[in-house]
Amino acid sequence: MKYLLEVREVSKSYGEERILDAVSLVLEPGKSLAITGQSGGGKTTLLSIIGLLQQATSGAVIVDGCDAGGLEPSRQAALRSACFGFVFQRARLIHSLTALENVLVPAWLTRAGKAAEVRARELLGRFGLEERLHYRPQELSIGQLRRVALARALLLKPKVILADEPTNDLDPAIAAEVADCLLETCGSGAGLILVTHDPGLAARADINLHLQQGCLFEQRRTVHA
Ligand SMILES: Nc1ncnc2c1ncn2[C@@H]1O[C@H](COP(=O)(O)OP(=O)(O)O)[C@@H](O)[C@H]1O
Ligand SMILES: [Mg+2]
């Protein structure tokens, strides 16, 4: 089996404090994985190590068969932009750009060209934002911002989507819509790792993991007869 991603015994400490303790997981193509756990438990830290935004203290992250730890920073950055789409806890949009331009930022970095603009418009349309293409972030609601960030994450068809509390602070209807959009991406073979406090969303993922005191446990679902 070729995994999209393997995390092998990753540990992370800040000074004396150990945040992650020999955490391992694998992600297969087309699968979704939900990570739950207490606030301050290290979920965001784990996502940022997986997404090659931060170094682990020890352990390995294997992305698409390549051990990222052994790569030079520029090769790591290339692997990151080729493989990952990020939906951060805060949307992190650029305020001077419109919704459409924000979605296109990853394409500017890779020179993906006109096809990227067609896809950006299509994604924003799919997320119900066709009327808002030229609005700036300050003219959009939280749910709309989140959907713009999601379109940006999906623009270059990443192999792995990393989403940090993507439905937090959203009203239930919009949360459901964002969740649908995220889970839909697995249909095309992408892998999804999402961090959430929402048990309903976690239950929709293929695998549930729980981070507790730095260790990751698989949670079995209770099957009701
Ligand atoms: N750069 C950093 N330096 C020191 N401590 C940090 C840093 N980043 C996060 N932490 C600490 O690591 C712990 C886990 O944080 P985080 O991964 O954001 O948790 P979660 O996402 O589960 O709420 C927290 O106690 C936080 O204060
Ligand atoms: Mg967090």
Side-chain angles (χ1 to χ4, degrees):
M1 159 64 64
K2 186 170 182 287
Y3 296 119
L4 285 175
L5 183 84
E6 287 181 73
V7 172
R8 290 190 193 148
E9 308 226 329
V10 158
S11 295
K12 178 74 180 175
S13 300
Y14 290 118
E16 297 285 288
E17 195 182 6
R18 176 155 280 220
I19 307 295
L20 300 172
D21 191 4
V23 164
S24 297
L25 61 83
V26 294
L27 181 66
E28 293 174 16
K31 295 289 180 193
S32 54
L33 198 154
I35 301 174
T36 53
Q38 278 188 336
S39 218
K43 304 180 298 299
T44 296
T45 302
L46 176 58
L47 274 195
S48 64
I49 290 171
I50 289 173
L52 312 180
L53 293 168
Q54 215 190 136
Q55 290 276 359
T57 306
S58 62
V61 178
I62 319 286
V63 182
D64 206 20
C66 177
D67 185 346
L71 300 178
E72 311 230 321
S74 62
R75 303 271 316 271
Q76 247 191 38
L79 187 63
R80 179 166 61 235
S81 60
C83 289
F84 292 108
F86 295 91
V87 183
F88 294 105
Q89 224 161 343
R90 295 190 184 85
R92 295 197 195 175
L93 299 176
I94 300 173
H95 286 268
S96 55
L97 300 181
T98 65
L100 180 61
E101 289 164 344
N102 265 288
V103 174
L104 282 168
V105 166
W108 293 347
L109 299 175
T110 62
R111 302 197 183 97
K114 191 73 190 162
E117 184 170 336
V118 172
R119 180 162 163 81
R121 287 174 180 271
E122 182 191 298
L123 284 166
L124 286 167
R126 189 170 1 130
F127 297 164
L129 293 169
E130 59 276 87
E131 314 265 291
R132 301 277 189 279
L133 297 181
H134 305 296
Y135 282 48
R136 288 175 207 280
Q138 55 277 24
E139 298 161 342
L140 296 169
S141 71
I142 286 191
Q144 290 165 339
L145 292 173
R146 207 63 70 81
R147 282 176 280 161
V148 172
L150 188 51
R152 180 181 59 184
L154 300 181
L155 183 74
L156 300 180
K157 301 188 181 171
K159 291 182 177 156
V160 178
I161 295 130
L162 301 175
D164 200 354
E165 304 195 28
T167 58
N168 209 18
D169 303 327
L170 299 183
D171 71 52
I174 293 173
E177 200 181 299
V178 168
D180 289 347
C181 294
L182 269 172
L183 289 159
E184 240 177 55
T185 59
C186 295
S188 57
L192 169 67
I193 300 185
L194 57 92
V195 161
T196 183
H197 287 291
D198 174 357
L201 175 56
R204 293 181 63 187
D206 296 308
I207 295 168
N208 281 192
L209 301 173
H210 188 71
L211 188 62
Q212 192 170 18
Q213 292 177 335
C215 299
L216 204 52
F217 302 94
E218 182 158 359
Q219 285 198 317
R220 306 262 165 218
R221 307 251 175 72
T222 314
V223 180
H224 298 286

